[in-house]
Amino acid sequence: MGSYLFTSESVTSGHPDKVADQISDAIVDYCIEKDRYSRVACETLVGPGLVILSGEITSSAPLVLQEVVRNKIREIGYDSSELGFDYRSVGILTTIHKQSQDIARGIRKKKESFEEIGAGDQGIMFGYACQETENLMPLPLMLAHALTDALKTAREKGTLPFLRPDGKSQVTVEYHSDHTPKRIHTVVLSAQHHEDISEEEVQAALKQLILETLPAELLDEKTLYHLNPTGRFVLGGPAADTGVTGRKTAIDTYGGRAHHGGGAFSGKDPTKMDRAGAYAARHVAKNIVAAGLATTCEVQLSYAIGTKEPISIHLDTFNTSILPEEEIEKAIPLHFNLTPGGIIKELDLDRPIYSSTAYGGHFGRPLPEFTWEHLDKVDELRKLLT
């Protein structure tokens, strides 16, 4: 195999789907802050002047959610009627009900304990790590996230005052045949902007932002740039497009580099294995790579509703492991508690930490609340090499 291209994308916090994710996770945090045993599965739909909340919430918290929703929309930056979506005037419809007793029976055996908890549903979850970046994440995704984060920072600080909340990035990296990054092949950057600025001014500002954000050693004279390719991006956000919770799973995870189990994360409390299981799988994969057992690692977990132990654990190191994969795979449950309750306890997930995950990706970020990024099992795993 010769050199090849791989592309990942990211979106800003004002993208309609990310607005929906952030609202859903703000509700998760509100409920857990009031009642750590809250059960939340909250879906959000946003559109022109409208937010619709639906799902199941069982909590002792008073479900007065309008303030939570409006505060989050204001925080994102939709604070003017000119944007077509304003936290003060947006309509909010709610169709929330309690969790099914049939499901609840399988999850919780004892109310005031996480120890006997069963998986909230069947499902498969994946975790991934590789040596392409310091945070052991795929390079194209990290570069794409860096650009959308730069757009957000420039808008909030006023260094690019014409910016509005919506935007997208996409980065294509060219790889050598040995799968190491060679150069940035193409950058796509689209940013919502005020109508009173020319196309040329926007493109020049975006090009400069790219040069200030991406590693200079990966850019060259052949790198291609597509800057606001349609030429105009004034109408954006929920005023221009519908957003729904859970539609940006590749952006939330590994940029398409790894498998995905299909379940979204946002809007779900930590008893939902779509979320907790994926965090645990990343924790396992990252520690395996950091311990030097492999240069690339993907971990799959699977669960049945109401059961404590995972049904299966599968490891794939893509022929990069020092030890036989079977040996590493057998060691995983000896070093990681992968029961739902064990994951919640070890990763300290019954806290209001989820708003931080709803924009910018759930993995690879050095935030203190991202406990699944901790390299706390490295020393134990290195003993397998002796």
Side-chain angles (χ1 to χ4, degrees):
M1 183 179 180
S3 63
Y4 63 95
L5 305 179
F6 193 89
T7 305
S8 294
E9 67 165 343
S10 181
V11 297
T12 65
S13 61
H15 184 280
D17 291 329
K18 276 293 144 193
V19 172
D21 284 344
Q22 290 168 94
I23 290 173
S24 290
D25 273 338
I27 291 171
V28 172
D29 280 352
Y30 166 78
C31 292
I32 291 178
E33 184 175 16
K34 302 293 183 180
D35 173 12
R36 66 190 289 245
Y37 298 108
S38 294
R39 294 292 162 265
V40 184
C42 180
E43 310 292 339
T44 302
L45 181 147
V46 298
L50 180 65
V51 175
I52 299 176
L53 305 177
S54 187
E56 307 85 42
I57 299 179
T58 300
S59 176
S60 63
L63 297 184
V64 184
L65 302 179
Q66 289 221 5
E67 182 178 358
V68 176
V69 174
R70 295 189 191 279
N71 285 342
K72 179 54 65 174
I73 294 171
R74 175 178 54 79
E75 179 185 312
I76 292 169
Y78 289 108
D79 54 4
S80 170
S81 59
E82 295 180 1
L83 299 175
F85 192 74
D86 184 356
Y87 77 95
R88 287 167 290 226
S89 60
V90 67
I92 302 173
L93 300 179
T94 303
T95 60
I96 299 288
H97 56 88
K98 290 187 176 183
Q99 185 182 60
S100 161
Q101 289 301 309
D102 291 342
I103 296 176
R105 186 179 300 113
I107 298 173
R108 175 57 52 80
K109 310 300 183 185
K110 180 180 178 183
K111 177 176 173 52
E112 300 303 324
S113 172
F114 283 108
E115 294 179 2
E116 297 302 319
I117 194 174
D121 200 353
Q122 70 177 46
I124 56 176
M125 303 87 206
F126 289 90
Y128 181 82
C130 63
Q131 290 186 339
E132 288 183 21
T133 60
E134 289 184 2
N135 51 15
L136 304 184
M137 288 286 288
L139 179 63
L141 179 64
M142 290 295 96
L143 297 178
H145 281 327
L147 288 175
T148 51
D149 190 56
L151 283 178
K152 182 174 184 287
T153 300
R155 174 177 60 84
E156 293 178 343
K157 290 187 174 181
T159 55
L160 295 179
F162 62 84
L163 290 177
R164 288 176 166 177
D166 200 358
K168 292 183 175 182
S169 69
Q170 185 171 285
V171 179
T172 300
V173 173
E174 182 177 353
Y175 285 82
H176 295 286
S177 59
D178 63 356
H179 309 296
T180 57
K182 178 180 181 182
R183 57 184 289 272
I184 295 174
H185 180 277
T186 304
V187 181
V188 182
L189 190 60
S190 300
Q192 185 189 13
H193 58 84
H194 193 278
E195 60 185 352
D196 296 330
I197 187 170
S198 70
E199 177 182 339
E200 292 76 18
E201 288 176 293
V202 173
Q203 291 180 338
L206 295 182
K207 178 67 175 293
Q208 185 61 34
L209 183 141
I210 290 170
L211 296 178
E212 293 173 355
T213 303
L214 299 186
E217 65 272 16
L218 294 177
L219 298 170
D220 57 32
E221 68 280 359
K222 294 183 179 180
T223 300
L224 304 175
Y225 299 91
H226 299 278
L227 309 174
N228 272 20
T230 63
R232 180 177 169 86
F233 189 1
V234 174
L235 185 64
D241 195 7
T242 301
V244 180
T245 301
R247 287 206 300 201
K248 290 292 180 280
T249 53
I251 290 172
D252 285 341
T253 53
Y254 306 101
R257 178 61 63 85
H259 289 96
H260 191 282
F265 305 154
S266 290
K268 299 174 182 178
D269 72 78
T271 68
K272 310 298 189 294
M273 296 309 292
D274 282 336
R275 176 165 233 157
Y279 292 173
R282 163 65 177 173
H283 189 222
V284 173
K286 185 176 183 181
N287 275 269
I288 287 173
V289 172
L293 302 183
T295 60
T296 304
C297 180
E298 182 180 79
V299 174
Q300 185 202 56
L301 306 176
S302 71
Y303 293 85
I305 187 169
T307 62
K308 290 178 61 177
E309 300 291 341
I311 292 175
S312 66
I313 300 172
H314 175 67
L315 179 76
D316 188 351
T317 64
F318 306 91
N319 298 316
T320 69
S321 61
I322 294 178
L323 300 174
E325 289 183 349
E326 295 81 1
E327 186 175 337
I328 303 173
E329 192 174 281
K330 290 179 181 178
I332 289 174
L334 302 178
H335 297 279
F336 299 87
N337 187 338
L338 297 177
T339 66
I343 294 170
I344 292 171
K345 182 178 180 181
E346 287 200 358
L347 299 183
D348 200 13
L349 298 182
D350 57 326
R351 299 177 293 146
I353 60 173
Y354 298 104
S355 290
S356 297
T357 70
Y359 159 73
H362 292 246
F363 307 115
R365 297 165 62 194
L367 300 177
E369 56 266 40
F370 282 41
T371 52
W372 47 93
E373 295 295 318
H374 292 174
L375 298 176
D376 52 345
K377 304 289 186 178
V378 168
D379 290 341
E380 296 178 28
L381 292 172
R382 281 178 178 158
K383 294 178 182 178
L384 297 176
L385 298 173
T386 61

